[in-house]
């Protein structure tokens, strides 16, 4: 059977039998991969610790009928230990890999891989608030998938902005005439923060007030989940870290 190599981020694992695991991975060149790591749960396994969630590895696989099989794995980056000891980092990382797993196969591009690796690295370093790292990742992941939120002109009619309302279902900020009843009001500081999050302007993100950060997080969560067409379970765990 043909073999191939790629760089991967382990998104999630499931037990299989007494000693094996099924891995779901986001790769740099082959999109999402589901593969079996045989014997990986045995204490004598040569690469068990290299194939845990949040790990980045160089793997060799061979193609199977339904699942590929991991033959070799070399660690490229071990973010799991630094993430797991901090609850806020751990829950943010779970929300990030869950989002990456929810992306359609056509959206699992090299750019999505690099974005996820960069987000996990930043979480592990702890230089920015975990929720802000997550919010920035979600906005950028949506943008790479073709769902960048409109944060200037009205997302519905195109009227020049900035505008005071944010509606996830309509694609971002909208004018007074287009805003449905019950729309979320977008205060100027929150709008500035959303633009900083998607642009990676971390000085502005870190300087944002608590209310603006909380408001932006709520809007980002609603926007991402609307476009993924299902909830991100790990986001509910992030609420307790605020």
């Amino acid at each position: 059977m043909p073999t191939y190599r790629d760089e991967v981020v382990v998104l999630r694992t499931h037990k299989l039998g007494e000693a094996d695991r099924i891995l779901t991975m986001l790769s740099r060149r082959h999109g999402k991969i589901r593969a079996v790591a045989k014997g990986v749960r045995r204490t004598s396994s040569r690469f068990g610790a290299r194939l845990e969630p949040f790990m980045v590895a160089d793997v060799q696989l061979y193609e199977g009928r339904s699942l590929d099989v991991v033959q070799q794995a070399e660690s490229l980056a071990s973010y799991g230990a630094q993430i797991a000891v901090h609850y806020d980092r751990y829950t943010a990382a779970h929300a990030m890999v869950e989002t990456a797993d929810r992306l359609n196969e056509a959206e699992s591009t090299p750019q999505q891989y690099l974005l996820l690796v960069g987000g996990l690295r930043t979480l592990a370093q702890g230089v920015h608030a975990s929720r802000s790292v997550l919010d920035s990742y979600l906005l950028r992941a949506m943008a790479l998938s073709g769902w960048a939120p409109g944060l200037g002109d009205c997302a519905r009619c195109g009227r020049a902005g900035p505008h005071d309302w944010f509606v996830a279902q309509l694609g971002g900020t909208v004018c007074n005439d287009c805003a449905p009843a019950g729309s979320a009001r977008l205060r100027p500081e929150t709008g500035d923060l959303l633009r900083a999050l998607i642009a990676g302007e971390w000085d502005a993100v870190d300087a944002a007030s608590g209310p603006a950060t909380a408001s932006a997080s709520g809007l980002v969560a609603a926007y991402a989940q609307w476009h993924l067409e299902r909830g991100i379970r790990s986001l509910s765990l992030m609420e307790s870290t605020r």
Side-chain angles (χ1 to χ4, degrees):
M1 293 184 180
T3 63
Y4 64 97
R5 297 190 71 91
D6 209 341
E7 297 175 16
V8 301
V9 180
V10 180
L11 304 179
R12 58 190 172 94
T13 67
H14 291 98
K15 293 180 180 178
L16 178 66
E18 295 183 357
D20 304 340
R21 276 203 181 107
I22 295 176
L23 312 176
T24 301
M25 302 171 285
L26 179 64
S27 73
R28 186 165 190 159
R29 294 181 296 275
H30 293 84
K32 279 190 294 186
I33 298 170
R34 295 186 77 241
V36 175
K38 295 185 176 181
V40 76
R41 289 159 53 204
R42 295 194 182 103
T43 56
S44 59
S45 172
R46 292 172 295 136
F47 49 75
R50 304 169 193 168
L51 296 174
E52 296 291 337
F54 319 138
M55 298 297 188
V56 184
D58 182 337
V59 297
Q60 177 175 302
L61 307 102
Y62 72 82
E63 296 180 7
R65 291 184 179 180
S66 58
L67 294 171
D68 295 348
V69 178
V70 178
Q71 293 180 311
Q72 298 177 8
E74 298 295 333
S75 178
L76 296 177
S78 300
Y79 301 129
Q82 297 155 291
I83 288 173
V85 294
H86 299 275
Y87 181 78
D88 57 333
R89 298 182 196 178
Y90 184 73
T91 51
H94 265 289
M96 290 165 64
V97 297
E98 185 180 347
T99 299
D101 192 20
R102 295 280 175 83
L103 296 174
N104 294 326
E105 186 61 40
E107 299 159 359
S108 300
T109 61
Q111 292 77 18
Q112 290 283 6
Y113 167 83
L114 293 172
L115 177 66
L116 180 59
V117 171
L120 293 174
R121 181 190 305 117
T122 302
L123 276 180
Q125 293 170 343
V127 294
H128 305 293
S130 298
R131 186 61 197 244
S132 295
V133 175
L134 171 60
D135 290 340
S136 181
Y137 169 79
L138 290 174
L139 286 174
R140 293 185 187 189
M142 294 302 102
L144 286 174
S145 296
W147 301 323
L151 298 174
D153 298 342
C154 178
R156 185 179 185 192
C157 71
R159 182 181 298 176
H163 298 294
D164 297 331
W165 307 97
F166 187 96
V167 183
Q169 298 89 327
L170 296 179
T173 58
V174 295
C175 64
N176 290 334
D177 292 339
C178 293
S183 299
R185 180 175 287 277
L186 185 70
R187 300 190 180 279
E189 185 184 4
T190 305
D192 291 341
L193 177 54
L194 289 173
R195 285 183 280 272
L197 285 165
I198 201 169
E201 297 172 351
W202 287 103
D203 288 344
V205 172
D206 294 340
S209 69
T213 299
S215 177
S217 292
L219 296 177
V220 170
Y223 188 82
Q225 291 178 109
W226 170 261
H227 285 287
L228 291 172
E229 298 182 345
R230 56 191 299 187
I232 301 172
R233 294 188 302 273
S234 304
L235 281 177
S236 62
L237 302 176
M238 288 297 299
E239 300 301 318
S240 61
T241 68
R242 290 185 184 177

